[in-house]
């Protein structure tokens, strides 16, 4: 069965420092992987995705993520954090190999606090 | 403007009083989905639809119904709401999985439902 784990409920980073938000997944086939961001009182916004090709994916607002098949991870990263990056981040997976590749599973979310 | 709209945005109701939350998208997307967001649980999929007249259960379908009579609309129906359905609900849409098109989801702004 598909699953997504975001092991940290909250991550605190000083402004200007690099940030990492962790995500690991489990699927039966090859995954589509996504990161979404939710700002207060807003819906989710798409940040980036991995479908195929380069393991390092670049997305919106300077974020990037690295697909690591051996570690089944898709960690979100940014070289220099901004206070405006403070938000709730969700990792999601869609399983391409199983019979139910139309289901999408989200992690529980990681709240990112960027400290001025 | 490409968007997913939900109505109402806020709703307070009482146990047992039937309600419908509407969802509409203007991007001609085949795939639509409903999620509920609860603290500590992240987003959980309630129902999804691959196309008109095609719906399927997600992870938490109990107590909910959906219909997909038109491509653009995907209403969520609570026939007899209960307090455990108090939550933040999101509708989302995307092109049909596996078509090779961009398959990230577009989310509506959310509906905050309170059942007393």
């Amino acid at each position: 069965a598909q699953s997504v784990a975001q092991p940290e409920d909250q991550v605190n980073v000083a402004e200007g420092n690099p940030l990492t938000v962790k995500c690991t997944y489990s699927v039966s086939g090859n995954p589509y992987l996504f990161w979404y961001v939710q700002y207060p009182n807003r819906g989710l916004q798409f940040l980036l995705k991995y479908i195929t090709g380069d393991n390092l994916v670049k997305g919106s607002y300077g974020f990037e993520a690295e697909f690591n098949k051996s570690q089944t991870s898709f960690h979100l990263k940014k070289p220099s954090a901004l206070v405006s990056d403070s938000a709730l981040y969700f990792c999601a997976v869609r399983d391409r190999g199983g019979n139910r590749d139309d289901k999408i599973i989200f992690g529980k979310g990681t709240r990112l606090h960027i400290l001025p | 403007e490409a968007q997913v709209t939900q109505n109402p945005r806020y709703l307070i109701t009482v146990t047992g009083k039937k309600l419908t939350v509407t969802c509409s998208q203007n991007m001609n997307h085949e795939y639509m989905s409903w999620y509920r967001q609860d603290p500590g649980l992240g987003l959980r999929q309630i129902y999804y639809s691959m196309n008109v007249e095609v719906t399927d259960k997600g992870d938490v379908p109990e107590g909910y119904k959906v219909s997909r009579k038109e491509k653009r609309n995907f209403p969520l129906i609570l026939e007899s709401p209960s307090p455990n359905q108090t939550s933040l609900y999101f509708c989302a849409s995307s092109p049909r999985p596996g078509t090779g098109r961009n398959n990230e989801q577009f989310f509506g702004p959310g509906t905050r439902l309170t059942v007393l």
Side-chain angles (χ1 to χ4, degrees):
Chain A
Q2 295 166 268
S3 67
V4 176
Q6 293 181 242
E8 302 151 318
D9 291 336
Q10 182 168 309
V11 171
N12 297 322
V13 177
E15 187 176 26
N17 283 2
L19 70 86
T20 298
V21 183
K22 295 179 180 177
C23 173
T24 58
Y25 66 90
S26 174
V27 296
S28 59
N30 292 316
Y32 289 135
L33 292 158
F34 304 85
W35 276 102
Y36 290 86
V37 60
Q38 184 181 30
Y39 297 103
N41 301 313
R42 301 285 295 275
L44 276 72
Q45 298 176 31
F46 168 75
L47 268 183
L48 51 80
K49 65 183 177 185
Y50 171 82
I51 303 298
T52 187
D54 287 342
N55 289 342
L56 184 64
V57 178
K58 295 188 183 296
S60 307
Y61 312 121
F63 283 94
E64 58 189 29
E66 185 167 11
F67 170 62
N68 187 318
K69 189 172 184 178
S70 63
Q71 296 185 6
T72 61
S73 67
F74 190 56
H75 301 330
L76 181 70
K77 299 183 179 184
K78 187 173 182 180
S80 178
L82 301 172
V83 172
S84 57
D85 293 330
S86 298
L88 185 58
Y89 290 80
F90 289 97
C91 182
V93 65
R94 174 179 260 159
D95 188 348
R96 287 186 285 171
N99 293 326
R100 300 295 298 274
D101 67 348
D102 38 16
K103 285 188 69 175
I104 302 168
I105 303 295
F106 281 80
K108 294 183 178 181
T110 298
R111 190 163 296 282
L112 179 62
H113 285 285
I114 308 301
L115 309 169
Chain B
E1 179 189 355
Q3 60 182 348
V4 178
T5 57
Q6 294 178 228
N7 283 294
R9 295 289 313 279
Y10 302 91
L11 179 60
I12 300 175
T13 189
V14 296
T15 298
K17 186 176 181 181
K18 180 179 178 179
L19 66 92
T20 299
V21 184
T22 64
C23 173
S24 183
Q25 51 94 4
N26 62 1
M27 295 166 279
N28 201 36
H29 285 163
E30 293 88 359
Y31 185 94
M32 296 187 74
S33 181
W34 276 103
Y35 299 89
R36 59 178 290 173
Q37 182 179 11
D38 301 290
L41 297 176
L43 267 74
R44 293 179 292 168
Q45 194 172 41
I46 302 171
Y47 269 94
Y48 61 94
S49 169
M50 296 292 281
N51 215 325
V52 175
E53 302 292 0
V54 180
T55 63
D56 211 342
K57 296 178 181 179
D59 292 317
V60 288
E62 294 77 21
Y64 304 94
K65 287 174 57 177
V66 293
S67 69
R68 188 88 182 273
K69 294 186 172 63
E70 305 165 281
K71 197 172 187 178
R72 64 183 293 128
N73 296 324
F74 191 46
L76 179 69
I77 303 156
L78 285 71
E79 294 270 3
S80 182
S82 63
N84 65 10
Q85 292 178 297
T86 293
S87 187
L88 180 58
Y89 291 86
F90 288 102
C91 181
S93 74
S94 73
R96 182 186 174 91
T99 60
R101 292 176 286 169
N102 292 334
N103 47 31
E104 62 267 24
Q105 292 185 89
F106 291 78
F107 281 81
T111 295
R112 187 166 292 280
L113 172 65
T114 301
V115 183
L116 302 174

